[in-house]
Coordinates of all heavy atoms in Angstrom, one line a residue:
V97 N -7.7 -15.9 10.2 CA -9.0 -15.4 10.5 C -9.3 -14.1 9.7 O -8.5 -13.2 9.8 CB -9.1 -15.0 12.1 CG1 -10.4 -14.4 12.4 CG2 -8.8 -16.3 12.9
E98 N -10.3 -14.2 8.8 CA -10.7 -13.1 8.0 C -11.4 -12.1 8.8 O -12.2 -12.4 9.7 CB -11.5 -13.6 6.8 CG -11.9 -12.5 5.8 CD -12.9 -13.0 4.8 OE1 -13.6 -14.0 5.0 OE2 -13.1 -12.2 3.8
V99 N -11.3 -10.8 8.4 CA -12.0 -9.8 9.0 C -12.9 -9.0 8.0 O -12.4 -8.7 6.9 CB -11.1 -8.6 9.6 CG1 -11.9 -7.5 10.3 CG2 -10.2 -9.2 10.7
V100 N -14.2 -9.0 8.2 CA -15.2 -8.5 7.3 C -15.9 -7.3 8.1 O -16.1 -7.4 9.3 CB -16.1 -9.4 6.7 CG1 -15.3 -10.5 5.8 CG2 -17.0 -10.1 7.7
C101 N -16.4 -6.4 7.3 CA -17.3 -5.3 7.9 C -18.6 -5.9 8.3 O -19.3 -6.7 7.5 CB -17.5 -4.3 6.7 SG -18.7 -3.0 7.2
A102 N -19.0 -5.7 9.5 CA -20.2 -6.2 10.0 C -21.5 -5.7 9.3 O -22.6 -6.3 9.3 CB -20.4 -6.0 11.5
T103 N -21.4 -4.5 8.7 CA -22.5 -3.9 8.1 C -22.8 -4.3 6.7 O -24.0 -4.6 6.3 CB -22.3 -2.3 8.1 OG1 -22.2 -1.8 9.4 CG2 -23.5 -1.6 7.4
C104 N -21.8 -4.6 5.9 CA -21.9 -5.0 4.5 C -21.2 -6.2 4.2 O -21.3 -6.7 3.0 CB -21.5 -3.9 3.5 SG -19.8 -3.5 3.5
H105 N -20.5 -6.9 5.1 CA -19.8 -8.0 4.9 C -18.7 -8.0 3.8 O -18.2 -8.9 3.2 CB -20.6 -9.2 4.5 CG -21.5 -9.7 5.8 ND1 -22.1 -11.0 5.9 CD2 -21.8 -9.0 6.9 CE1 -22.7 -11.1 7.0 NE2 -22.6 -9.9 7.7
S106 N -18.1 -6.8 3.6 CA -17.0 -6.5 2.7 C -15.7 -7.0 3.4 O -15.6 -6.9 4.5 CB -16.9 -5.2 2.3 OG -17.9 -4.8 1.4
H107 N -14.8 -7.6 2.6 CA -13.5 -8.1 3.1 C -12.7 -6.9 3.5 O -12.4 -5.9 2.7 CB -12.8 -9.0 2.1 CG -11.4 -9.3 2.3 ND1 -11.1 -10.4 3.3 CD2 -10.3 -8.9 2.0 CE1 -9.9 -10.5 3.3 NE2 -9.3 -9.6 2.6
L108 N -12.0 -7.0 4.6 CA -11.2 -5.9 5.1 C -9.7 -6.4 5.1 O -8.7 -5.7 4.8 CB -11.6 -5.4 6.5 CG -13.0 -4.9 6.6 CD1 -13.4 -4.6 8.1 CD2 -13.2 -3.7 5.7
G109 N -9.5 -7.6 5.6 CA -8.2 -8.1 5.8 C -8.2 -9.4 6.7 O -9.2 -10.1 6.7
H110 N -7.2 -9.5 7.6 CA -7.1 -10.6 8.5 C -6.6 -10.2 9.9 O -6.0 -9.0 10.0 CB -6.2 -11.7 8.0 CG -6.7 -12.4 6.8 ND1 -6.6 -11.9 5.5 CD2 -7.4 -13.5 6.7 CE1 -7.0 -12.7 4.7 NE2 -7.7 -13.7 5.3
V111 N -6.9 -10.9 10.9 CA -6.4 -10.6 12.3 C -5.5 -11.7 12.8 O -5.8 -12.9 12.5 CB -7.5 -10.5 13.3 CG1 -8.5 -11.6 13.4 CG2 -7.0 -9.9 14.6
F112 N -4.4 -11.3 13.3 CA -3.4 -12.3 13.8 C -3.1 -12.2 15.2 O -3.2 -11.0 15.7 CB -2.1 -12.2 13.0 CG -2.2 -12.3 11.5 CD1 -2.5 -11.2 10.8 CD2 -2.2 -13.6 10.9 CE1 -2.7 -11.3 9.4 CE2 -2.4 -13.7 9.5 CZ -2.6 -12.6 8.7
E113 N -2.9 -13.2 16.0 CA -2.7 -13.1 17.4 C -1.4 -13.8 17.8 O -0.8 -14.6 17.2 CB -3.8 -13.9 18.0 CG -3.8 -14.0 19.6 CD -5.0 -14.7 20.1 OE1 -5.6 -15.6 19.4 OE2 -5.3 -14.6 21.4
G114 N -0.9 -13.2 18.9 CA 0.4 -13.8 19.5 C 1.7 -13.5 18.7 O 2.6 -14.3 18.9
E115 N 1.7 -12.4 18.1 CA 3.0 -12.0 17.3 C 4.0 -11.3 18.1 O 5.1 -11.0 17.7 CB 2.6 -11.3 16.1 CG 1.8 -12.1 15.1 CD 1.4 -11.3 13.9 OE1 1.0 -10.1 14.0 OE2 1.4 -11.9 12.8

Side-chain angles (χ1 to χ4, degrees):
V97 178
E98 180 187 21
V99 179
V100 300
C101 172
T103 302
C104 68
H105 289 202
S106 287
H107 174 77
L108 304 172
H110 290 86
V111 61
F112 302 94
E113 183 177 15
E115 296 179 317

